Amino acid sequence: MAVREDGWAQRGGIDRLLTLSCGRTYTVDEKVRIHDWPDVLLERWSDEARRVPGWIQKPLAADFIGYAYAPAGLCLLLPVVPLQRAWRQHGRKWINLYGTRSAQNPGYVSVGVPVPRHVLMQAIVEAMVVN
């Protein structure tokens, strides 16, 4: 089910509610890229000038980020809690290694960090280990 109306769910990053046949539900924040890049662009700043945190830094109500590459028909289902923990553990290093990419939007500029998919996936796995 798509979540389109403004409210706590949309503001919490929920674009879709998935219900499995067993009745279990998951919430997903959808991101779509129109090119098949070899990275995941982690949004650090939603609005750089105002220092509005992007989705990698702000609290989200969603269980997963559905990160799709439209031309390939590929979607990564990234678990939000380990993903954001990986960012806290590695974000500064990734900024230094991979730099940032800015996107001009009407009235604001967003900034993301392009992390190679294999690097991000390994960091998510490591973030799920607690010692």
Side-chain angles (χ1 to χ4, degrees):
M1 173 190 317
V3 178
R4 302 271 185 244
E5 293 186 28
D6 186 34
W8 71 267
Q10 258 301 315
R11 287 190 296 272
I14 297 173
D15 295 317
R16 193 161 302 273
L17 180 65
L18 305 178
T19 303
L20 306 182
S21 59
C22 67
R24 170 79 191 212
T25 60
Y26 293 101
T27 54
V28 179
D29 185 357
E30 298 174 331
K31 309 294 178 195
V32 179
R33 290 184 81 179
I34 59 171
H35 297 290
D36 291 334
W37 299 102
D39 58 63
V40 174
L41 189 63
L42 304 176
E43 185 187 60
R44 183 178 184 206
W45 300 111
S46 176
D47 183 335
E48 184 180 33
R50 293 188 189 97
R51 291 307 231 210
V52 176
W55 56 263
I56 195 63
Q57 299 190 104
K58 71 179 184 181
L60 294 176
D63 298 310
F64 294 95
I65 301 288
Y67 199 91
Y69 300 86
L74 174 73
C75 183
L76 305 176
L77 201 53
L78 306 170
V80 168
V81 172
L83 172 64
Q84 290 185 331
R85 184 167 192 238
W87 171 257
R88 288 190 303 275
Q89 292 172 333
H90 302 285
R92 293 206 185 278
K93 176 178 71 176
W94 290 340
I95 292 166
N96 291 331
L97 281 172
Y98 309 119
T100 60
R101 303 292 179 272
S102 298
Q104 182 65 54
N105 299 288
Y108 66 97
V109 174
S110 58
V111 177
V113 180
V115 179
R117 284 185 226 171
H118 71 279
V119 171
L120 182 62
M121 298 307 274
Q122 182 61 42
I124 290 170
V125 168
E126 292 170 2
M128 290 192 275
V129 176
V130 180
N131 39 342

